[in-house]
Amino acid sequence: MAQIGTDIGHAVSLLESGELVGIPTETVYGLAGNALNEEAILKIYEVKDRPKFDPLIAHTNSIEKVKKLVTSIPDKAQTLANELWPGPLTLLLEKSGGIPDLLTSGLSRIAVRIPNHDLSLELLANLDFPLAAPSANPFGYVSPTEAQHVEDHLGMKISYILDGGPCKVGLESTIVGFEGDRATVHRLGGKRIEEIEELIGEVQVEINQSSNPLAPGMLKSHYSPGKKLLLGDIDENLEKVGIERVGVISFAKQYDVAKENQVDLSPNGDFGEAARNIFKTLRYFDRDDIDIILAELLPEEGLGRAINDRLRRAASE
Ligand code: TXA
Ligand code: MG
């Protein structure tokens, strides 16, 4: 069992001695370790049971610190950094010397982000190294949005989790890379593409759907709630599978199943609320009296796109 608390001093001393700590961010909880220490990075891959070809994001608390990790910042990246950090946005930038290859899985770019969470910003301000922090879930499982979620699956492998309350965004950061003057979104996430395009103009969207990624990014099957998830028209699917032992995930709509067997992600149709609820709901239905989860897609806009992406991955086998 890990200890759950708000003692930043304790987190600092663990991280300084190469140990891992669960940390809150506005997107999801992270499993953090010293991003410049190969042993700490190795521990992260081990604790998550994550393949080493899937690189980690480095977190810091200032653009000054980011500059030390990269060779240069293209104009569009600088604009996004100025306007959207701290926030749910990760930038892929050419890494400077001294960044461990283990962090970036041997790639030439490093993923960097300044998270928007008071506790983690204070923690990062007290460290003279960046924190590598993937989502704090076992590889392939649903991301954690509360300290208790981290405890539930990784608590036996780490000693401390900083508790920053429930995550205010609830989806991982949007990942953007740059090639010359072109910006490409590699993962849909908590920062809406519409907002990014208002700042830097049109962006490409290239989401890696491969189940055998040559270029790491996103594995197709991910966010698996431990149950089969059927995506599509819920009434139709209820006719096929019956109303017993099913979990229903809907958006601004209720269905004819027991109350404890359905979650309306947002009765008022609010995307932000749905984003905060999606991972918690997938976990909620990972229980013994449920055999199958039925879910419907949201409108394909704003955060709806990112939520749909997670639902599709959770549904893929
Ligand atoms: O919101 C977030 O980004 C959370 C919080 C904790 O900050 N972190 C997170 O990390 O979602 P993780 O490891 O679960 O997802 C990071 C994604 C992976 O799909 C990885 O392949 C990609 O970022 N990535 C990391 N470094 C990369 C790089 N150098 N080039 C391409 N993709 C990279
Ligand atoms: Mg993850």
Side-chain angles (χ1 to χ4, degrees), residues 27 50 54-55 57 59 109 111 113 133-135 172-173 175 187 217:
T27 59
R50 169 172 173 137
D54 195 5
I57 299 174
H59 299 68
R109 290 190 295 187
R113 160 167 131 81
S135 52
E172 299 85 349
S173 58
I175 300 181
R187 174 171 75 179

Side-chain angles (χ1 to χ4, degrees), residues 23 25-31 48 50 53-57 59 88 90 92-93 103-105 107-111 113 115 133-137 143 171-175 186-187 216-219 222-223:
I23 62 162
T25 81
E26 80 282 32
T27 59
V28 300
Y29 274 73
L31 176 65
K48 272 189 66 96
R50 169 172 173 137
F53 60 69
D54 195 5
L56 308 177
I57 299 174
H59 299 68
T90 292
L92 299 179
L93 302 170
L103 183 77
T104 59
S105 302
L107 298 171
S108 67
R109 290 190 295 187
I110 180 175
R113 160 167 131 81
S135 52
N137 51 284
S143 298
L171 293 173
E172 299 85 349
S173 58
T174 302
I175 300 181
H186 295 281
R187 174 171 75 179
M218 292 279 288
L219 298 167
H222 229 81
Y223 308 98

Side-chain angles (χ1 to χ4, degrees), residues 1-4 146-156 161:
M1 232 181 76
Q3 200 191 334
I4 299 180
E146 294 172 17
Q148 185 61 43
H149 296 164
V150 183
E151 164 65 20
D152 288 345
H153 288 95
L154 301 181
M156 61 299 224
I161 302 165

Side-chain angles (χ1 to χ4, degrees), residues 3-314:
Q3 200 191 334
I4 299 180
T6 55
D7 187 345
I8 288 182
H10 185 51
V12 167
S13 68
L14 286 169
L15 291 163
E16 282 177 345
S17 51
E19 298 301 320
L20 308 187
V21 173
I23 62 162
T25 81
E26 80 282 32
T27 59
V28 300
Y29 274 73
L31 176 65
N34 181 346
L36 305 180
N37 175 333
E38 293 208 4
E39 275 170 44
I41 301 170
L42 262 179
K43 277 185 200 158
I44 293 177
Y45 284 108
E46 275 165 22
V47 165
K48 272 189 66 96
D49 202 13
R50 169 172 173 137
K52 294 186 191 66
F53 60 69
D54 195 5
L56 308 177
I57 299 174
H59 299 68
T60 66
N61 65 310
S62 73
I63 294 180
E64 287 315 303
K65 287 187 183 173
V66 168
K67 283 185 180 150
K68 296 192 183 127
L69 306 176
V70 305
T71 55
S72 65
I73 303 184
D75 289 347
K76 285 183 176 174
Q78 187 68 57
T79 302
L80 294 181
N82 292 344
E83 301 296 325
L84 302 180
W85 275 347
L89 172 77
T90 292
L91 302 179
L92 299 179
L93 302 170
E94 290 300 319
K95 68 174 184 175
S96 54
I99 306 292
D101 276 337
L102 199 53
L103 183 77
T104 59
S105 302
L107 298 171
S108 67
R109 290 190 295 187
I110 180 175
V112 286
R113 160 167 131 81
I114 302 181
N116 188 14
H117 191 291
D118 289 349
L119 211 55
S120 286
L121 286 172
E122 194 181 332
L123 173 69
L124 289 161
N126 279 284
L127 296 170
D128 57 11
F129 49 82
L131 289 177
S135 52
N137 51 284
F139 182 68
Y141 195 67
V142 182
S143 298
T145 52
E146 294 172 17
Q148 185 61 43
H149 296 164
V150 183
E151 164 65 20
D152 288 345
H153 288 95
L154 301 181
M156 61 299 224
K157 296 181 175 174
I158 58 177
S159 71
Y160 197 63
I161 302 165
L162 262 185
D163 188 354
C167 299
K168 294 204 166 93
V169 173
L171 293 173
E172 299 85 349
S173 58
T174 302
I175 300 181
V176 186
F178 305 87
E179 299 85 25
D181 198 40
R182 220 170 67 137
T184 306
V185 169
H186 295 281
R187 174 171 75 179
L188 300 170
K191 183 54 72 184
R192 294 177 300 115
I193 290 185
E194 292 90 333
E195 211 177 323
I196 291 170
E197 289 190 324
E198 269 171 34
L199 292 165
I200 59 169
E202 204 184 330
V203 299
Q204 318 285 316
V205 180
E206 274 172 31
I207 311 295
N208 182 5
Q209 297 275 11
S210 165
S211 52
N212 177 20
L214 290 175
M218 292 279 288
L219 298 167
K220 187 168 185 209
S221 172
H222 229 81
Y223 308 98
S224 162
K227 304 281 169 187
K228 188 175 165 65
L229 188 149
L230 212 54
L231 198 54
D233 187 276
I234 289 177
D235 281 320
E236 272 174 32
N237 283 330
L238 279 172
E239 290 212 356
K240 280 184 210 149
V241 304
I243 61 165
E244 306 292 332
R245 302 183 62 83
V246 294
V248 168
I249 304 179
S250 63
F251 180 67
K253 207 169 165 192
Q254 277 93 46
Y255 290 88
D256 204 8
V257 296
K259 211 173 161 203
E260 65 275 15
N261 284 14
Q262 66 176 309
V263 173
D264 182 347
L265 293 175
S266 174
N268 297 326
D270 180 78
F271 288 136
E273 184 180 31
R276 284 190 293 280
N277 285 330
I278 182 63
F279 289 151
K280 192 167 73 178
T281 302
L282 289 170
R283 278 170 188 265
Y284 172 66
F285 286 134
D286 187 2
R287 50 181 221 236
D288 290 342
D289 64 324
I290 299 284
D291 291 335
I292 187 162
I293 303 172
L294 307 183
E296 60 191 9
L297 291 171
L298 281 69
E300 212 49 62
E301 63 187 60
L303 289 180
R305 283 181 79 171
I307 297 169
N308 287 345
D309 170 85
R310 303 305 189 268
L311 284 172
R312 290 191 181 102
R313 288 173 200 279

